[in-house]
Amino acid sequence: MRPEERIWIALDVPGLEYAMPIVRQTRDFVGGYKIGKELFTAEGPRAVEAIKHIGGKVFLDLKYHDIPTTVAKAGVAAARLGVEMFNVHTASGTEMMQMTMAAVIPYRKRPKVLGVTVLTSLKDKDLDQIMGLAEAERSFFNREHVVVTRAKDAQGYGLDGVVCSAKELRAVRKVCGWDFLTMVPGTRSPGAAAHDQKNIETPEYAIANGADYLVIGRQVTEASDVLEELEKIKQEVWQGTKKRFAKDLRRVRAVDFDLVHGW
Ligand code: C5P
């Protein structure tokens, strides 16, 4: 994969009149575009169609969280729209994941389905509250544990990957291996404004630690020179890729060593 194909721009804008100039300018320099709740609620499916019409790929980030039949039918609608990827919330349960995959698999060139594990805005204590624990039982849930368990379920029920933060990549890779997609938001180049993102990591760090794709919004969309910003990120992705392959090489050598020594 070319470094630029790992970069997905979050089109967090109120309408196509804002989105399309960005798409036209960047089409040849990114993997694709994330359409989230704001743009989709404002414009509907025509947002997907407009981007596809000029050759852009779309990740539909609507985080479907509902009963199995409803999510499966929404998945079919996304497949018909021709999006490259869409996501579901793993908290809707394993039956939902199973039914959604069964519904989209018959589609030729079906979209990749990613699972949202735990929203990064949630801390351990928020998970306790969501799970309905009483005050005395609080601090039972651990974020990383829930993320990894849900990622493993997602993989077990046939999803193609998960959305996770850069900090969770190692744990997810350890449990799910490398043949499982990871889409990572919340990264920023060194020196770039963090906006409202907390705990940010750099694109280089995320790629080196196993991110397949990065979702980056405002660092690019609000840049004075959008293409210059993308070039900067591309170079970081390339550095991260080199680090990742160096790690892979060390892993392979360690396995060879084990084999040679009969371990
Ligand atoms: O502008 P910025 O790069 O911060 O945008 C990141 C995008 O990734 C936004 O669309 C945001 O909704 C999304 N996202 C995130 N953190 C998550 C999940 C999604 O920032 N944990």
Side-chain angles (χ1 to χ4, degrees), residues 10 12 34 61 63 119-121 163 185-188 194-197 215-219:
D12 294 325
K34 188 190 85 137
D61 174 29
K63 301 185 180 69
L119 298 175
T120 46
S121 52
V163 181
T187 64
R188 285 290 185 279
H195 303 100
D196 55 352
Q197 293 282 6
V215 181
I216 305 183
R218 289 160 294 181
Q219 181 186 340

Side-chain angles (χ1 to χ4, degrees), residues 8-12 34-37 59 61 63 87 116 118-121 143 163-165 168 183-188 193-197 200 215-222:
W8 286 65
I9 297 186
L11 293 171
D12 294 325
K34 188 190 85 137
I35 297 183
K37 291 190 175 79
F59 164 34
D61 174 29
K63 301 185 180 69
N87 57 8
V116 175
V118 178
L119 298 175
T120 46
S121 52
R143 239 199 90 81
V163 181
C164 68
S165 78
E168 290 154 355
M183 169 73 83
V184 176
T187 64
R188 285 290 185 279
H195 303 100
D196 55 352
Q197 293 282 6
I200 46 170
V215 181
I216 305 183
R218 289 160 294 181
Q219 181 186 340
V220 175
T221 55
E222 294 180 6

